[in-house]
């Protein structure tokens, strides 16, 4: 009963872990809006824009980050003035305040200089093409983007995004009502009215001798995740009676970092496990990664699943090197082993090693445990009777499907442990002591592996009440009644 419960609970944890996939690229990162060419091209020859290096260490670590791109030498003038910033923020907030159907949970956007400098750098490519990597590493949130080119003014550029509202239907799948790829025709508008977006920062460049001349980009934190339900429909502000101001939930651009969640009524952040502080910016590293890191969840998963870096912060490099390379005790009570009792060598190589093939032909790619740790797994380091290796139900498939099968049931079959005592087997119900490598035998058997027989004169007294079928139905009967069961002649 309790085994079954443990098993199910753990399965659900794992299922949850793997269900939270990374968000794909934002919808807006596939689309842009252009005006008629020619309306703003600079014609006069000008000196090339002097390039300033913006590729600081923070961005240099990021693959293909926009801040590390080389500017186009046709850049003529760049930047957004303070009065334009106000125009941009006010325009977005007017749209957000007046959405139809009305929104219960939209906040006013606030200008963000970090977002703006990346957007600015993108426009200096003199292209209308979304960038590959625009993240602000310290934010730990996904960044959305709207682009426009050719319009005479910021107002006209934003108008081109807003005009998509004419096609838009709240709550419906754009691919259904606009045809395949329909979201591309409304994705700028839905980015403007996303409830998870609290900040905006934009850039502008005028590029001579280019098709469109004027290039506009706005980056949003965080980016949009739904075009059908960008916000919650209902009475304005009804989700935030305490923070409501002028039809919007006014949290002053508060952004919860590292995937924290904003409570728009109290304007406070609910932080994910590893983070704390007012905006979830403070990292609290646990003493060690849990057992399943490097065993069931492997380094390659850090990139694939959004929550794996939180589950295994050392393995994924969020918390740096694990100080003593400790592993948690997969104790059934769920408690961690006291610090410092176990050391393992955790390899930090990233090239996947060929899998280890266990004596039962299960293939295993994770970290293997030493014999000392293995005593905590399975039946004191041996497989339990639940495993195919001992005639049970769990086969190699189960090793990978459930993260606790390796540790709780089948450490040898699944490949995390070598068999204790060089694979010594105690027969006839004997139990191996992994410390002494002796077998504890059950009478009438004895000897090194319990293979020898010392028949008593008589069966135990209660055997006279039993019949032969009891010998196969109950595990203790053959030992108590060896004569009845035909073990002793
Ligand atoms: C945004 O609105 C959608 C639709 O109602 C809702 O599912 C989602 O939880 C909201 N997200 C945030 C961050 O408020
Ligand atoms: C599991 O934890 C309990 C309570 O902390 C402890 O008494 C027990 O010895 C631990 N078991 C193992 C196998 O370490
Ligand atoms: C493992 O595979 C080998 C080669 O395919 C085979 O000979 C052996 O019997 C298998 N062992 C088990 C326990 O299935
Ligand atoms: C283990 O078995 C050996 C040989 O049978 C014996 O000499 C030794 O005392 C045993 N050790 C323990 C701890 O029972």
């Amino acid at each position: 009963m309790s085994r079954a419960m443990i098993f199910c609970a753990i399965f659900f944890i794992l299922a949850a872990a793997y269900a939270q996939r990374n968000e794909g690229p934002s919808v807006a990162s596939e689309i842009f809006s252009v005006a008629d060419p020619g309306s703003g091209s600079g014609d006069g020859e000008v000196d090339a824009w002097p390039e300033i290096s913006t590729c600081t260490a923070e961005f240099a670590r990021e693959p293909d980050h926009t801040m590390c791109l080389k500017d186009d030498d046709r850049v003529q003038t760049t930047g957004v003035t303070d009065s334009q910033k106000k125009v941009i923020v006010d325009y977005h907030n007017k749209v957000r305040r007046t959405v139809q159907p009305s929104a219960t949970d939209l906040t006013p956007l606030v200008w963000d200089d970090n977002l703006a400098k990346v957007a600015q750098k993108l426009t200096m490519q003199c292209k209308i093409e979304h960038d590959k990597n625009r993240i602000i590493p310290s934010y730990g949130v996904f960044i959305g983007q709207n682009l426009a080119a050719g319009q005479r003014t910021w107002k006209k550029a934003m108008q081109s995004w807003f005009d998509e509202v004419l096609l838009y239907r709240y709550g419906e799948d754009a691919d259904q009502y606009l045809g395949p790829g329909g979201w591309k025709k409304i994705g700028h508008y839905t980015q403007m009215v996303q409830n998870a977006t609290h900040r905006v920062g934009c850039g502008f460049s005028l590029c001579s001798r280019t098709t469109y001349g004027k290039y506009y980009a706005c980056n949003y934190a965080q980016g949009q995740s739904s075009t059908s339900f960008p916000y919650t429909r209902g009475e304005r502000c009804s989700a935030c009676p305490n923070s409501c101001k002028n039809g919007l939930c006014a949290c002053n651009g508060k952004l919860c970092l590292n995937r924290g969640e904003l409570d728009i009524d109290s304007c406070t952040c609910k932080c994910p496990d590893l983070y704390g502080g007012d905006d979830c910016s403070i990292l609290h590293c646990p003493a060690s990664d849990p057992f399943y890191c490097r065993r069931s969840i492997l380094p390659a998963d850090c990139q694939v699943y959004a929550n794996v870096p939180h589950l295994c912060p050392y393995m994924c490099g969020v918390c740096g090197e694990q100080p003593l390379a400790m592993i948690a005790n997969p104790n059934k009570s769920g408690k961690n082993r006291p610090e410092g009792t176990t050391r393992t060598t955790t390899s930090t190589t990233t090239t996947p090693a060929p899998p280890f093939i266990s004596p039962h032909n299960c293939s295993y790619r994770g970290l293997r445990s030493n014999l000392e740790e293995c005593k905590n797994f399975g039946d004191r380091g041996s497989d339990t009777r639940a495993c195919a290796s001992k005639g049970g139900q769990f086969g190699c498939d189960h090793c990978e499907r459930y993260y606790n099968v390796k540790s709780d049931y089948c450490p040898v079959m699944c490949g995390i442990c070598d068999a204790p005592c060089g694979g010594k087997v105690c027969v006839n119900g004997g139990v191996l002591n992994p410390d002494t490598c002796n077998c504890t035998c059950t009478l009438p058997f004895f000897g090194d592996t319990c293979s020898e027989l010392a028949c008593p004169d008589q069966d135990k007294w209660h055997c006279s009440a039993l019949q032969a079928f009891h010998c196969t139905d109950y595990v203790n009967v053959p030992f108590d009644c060896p004569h009845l069961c035909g073990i002793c002649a």
Side-chain angles (χ1 to χ4, degrees):
M1 153 78 180
S2 71
R3 285 228 153 153
M5 298 287 289
I6 290 168
F7 192 72
C8 283
I10 286 172
F11 168 69
F12 283 121
I13 292 166
L14 193 65
Y18 280 68
Q20 296 178 22
R21 287 174 184 258
N22 264 337
E23 298 104 333
S26 88
V27 169
S29 73
E30 297 300 327
I31 49 176
F32 45 76
S33 133
V34 292
D36 286 340
S39 59
S41 302
D43 334 274
E45 285 301 312
V46 254
D47 290 341
W49 178 255
E51 183 157 13
I52 300 157
S53 177
T54 53
C55 189
T56 53
E58 162 187 40
F59 298 114
R61 276 193 292 273
E62 291 290 330
D64 299 321
H65 201 282
T66 303
M67 294 305 275
C68 299
L69 298 178
K70 190 173 161 17
D71 296 345
D72 190 297
D73 58 15
R74 293 169 299 178
V75 172
Q76 196 176 332
T77 54
T78 69
V80 179
T81 65
D82 284 348
S83 64
Q84 286 169 334
K85 288 178 194 171
K86 184 165 161 28
V87 167
I88 292 166
V89 168
D90 289 351
Y91 189 100
H92 279 87
N93 289 341
K94 183 171 170 208
V95 169
R96 289 165 77 86
R97 189 171 287 122
T98 56
V99 279
Q100 287 298 338
S102 60
T104 66
D105 57 357
L106 283 179
T107 58
L109 300 188
V110 166
W111 185 265
D112 183 303
D113 284 327
N114 289 318
L115 295 176
K117 71 184 178 190
V118 182
Q120 178 57 52
K121 187 73 179 171
L122 172 60
T123 62
M124 291 158 87
Q125 298 292 300
C126 301
K127 280 194 282 213
I128 181 149
E129 207 172 276
H130 288 282
D131 46 10
K132 293 203 183 87
N133 188 345
R134 66 190 81 107
I135 73 163
I136 311 293
S138 61
Y139 285 10
V141 300
F142 169 69
I143 308 294
Q145 185 170 76
N146 278 352
L147 301 181
Q151 294 83 357
R152 264 189 317 108
T153 63
W154 265 109
K155 262 209 172 114
K156 297 239 184 255
M158 291 188 290
Q159 180 85 41
S160 73
W161 299 335
F162 173 70
D163 282 347
E164 295 171 353
V165 72
L166 299 172
L167 295 174
Y168 183 64
R169 297 186 200 166
Y170 181 94
E172 290 181 43
D173 177 2
D175 282 13
Q176 296 293 314
Y177 63 87
L178 297 174
W183 52 270
K184 295 184 184 177
K185 299 178 182 159
I186 47 127
H188 299 93
Y189 169 68
T190 55
Q191 172 62 80
M192 294 176 103
V193 297
Q194 279 285 319
N195 54 7
T197 303
H198 307 299
R199 297 196 196 178
V200 62
C202 308
F204 168 80
S205 290
L206 179 65
C207 300
S208 56
R209 293 170 283 122
T210 56
T211 314
Y212 296 107
K214 294 183 170 185
Y215 294 85
Y216 302 85
C218 287
N219 284 356
Y220 299 85
Q222 57 188 39
Q224 66 179 324
S225 49
S226 167
T227 53
S228 307
F229 295 96
Y231 57 84
T232 304
R233 167 173 33 193
E235 199 186 322
R236 284 186 211 293
C237 267
S238 56
C240 60
N242 286 304
S243 64
C244 181
K245 221 163 111 186
N246 203 2
L248 292 172
C249 303
C251 289
N252 276 321
K254 181 149 189 164
L255 187 64
C256 302
L257 310 185
N258 300 307
R259 305 174 64 90
E261 277 175 32
L262 179 68
D263 176 326
I264 49 172
D265 194 29
S266 61
C267 296
T268 53
C269 294
K270 188 169 163 278
C271 300
D273 282 352
L274 280 183
Y275 295 92
D278 183 50
D279 60 354
C280 308
S281 58
I282 302 170
L283 182 63
H284 294 302
C285 287
S288 63
D289 276 352
F291 161 80
Y292 45 77
C293 303
R294 292 184 190 276
R295 290 186 172 77
S296 295
I297 300 183
L298 299 182
D301 296 327
C302 297
Q303 306 293 322
V304 181
Y305 301 102
N307 63 330
V308 166
H310 294 172
L311 295 174
C312 302
Y314 288 100
M315 179 181 85
C316 296
V318 177
C319 286
E321 284 288 300
Q322 190 157 314
L324 282 171
M326 290 178 310
I327 60 153
N329 186 349
N331 196 321
K332 313 287 190 282
S333 74
K335 289 231 174 81
N336 282 355
R337 184 200 306 265
E339 293 191 19
T341 53
T342 301
R343 289 173 192 235
T344 59
T345 46
T346 50
S347 153
T348 49
T349 57
T350 47
T351 44
F356 175 82
I357 306 294
S358 81
H360 305 279
N361 290 344
C362 301
S363 144
Y364 173 63
R365 287 192 173 273
L367 183 68
R368 301 199 74 223
S369 293
N370 62 31
L371 286 175
E372 199 48 41
E373 286 158 8
C374 285
K375 288 177 188 169
N376 298 313
F377 303 153
D379 186 358
R380 305 185 73 188
S382 297
D383 291 343
T384 66
R385 282 197 273 169
C387 312
S389 58
K390 292 282 172 79
Q393 309 248 322
F394 290 162
C396 294
D397 285 358
H398 297 86
C399 299
E400 292 314 317
R401 202 174 318 150
Y402 305 103
Y403 88 66
N404 65 327
V405 166
K406 295 186 198 67
S407 55
D408 290 353
Y409 300 96
C410 314
V412 178
M413 182 185 89
C414 294
I416 65 171
C417 290
D418 286 327
C421 304
K424 178 170 175 174
V425 176
C426 307
V427 295
N428 296 317
V431 175
L432 181 69
N433 177 334
D435 295 318
T436 63
C437 291
N438 284 353
C439 294
T440 304
C441 303
T442 310
L443 286 173
F445 296 100
F446 72 103
D448 187 41
T449 60
C450 309
S451 58
E452 293 166 61
L453 190 57
C455 284
D457 290 345
Q458 291 181 339
D459 285 352
K460 289 193 175 162
W461 66 269
H462 65 264
C463 298
S464 60
L466 301 178
Q467 293 173 31
F469 72 84
H470 292 112
C471 297
T472 47
D473 285 5
Y474 299 95
V475 288
N476 64 313
V477 169
F479 305 113
D480 291 351
C481 315
H483 293 281
L484 172 73
C485 297
I487 295 169
C488 293

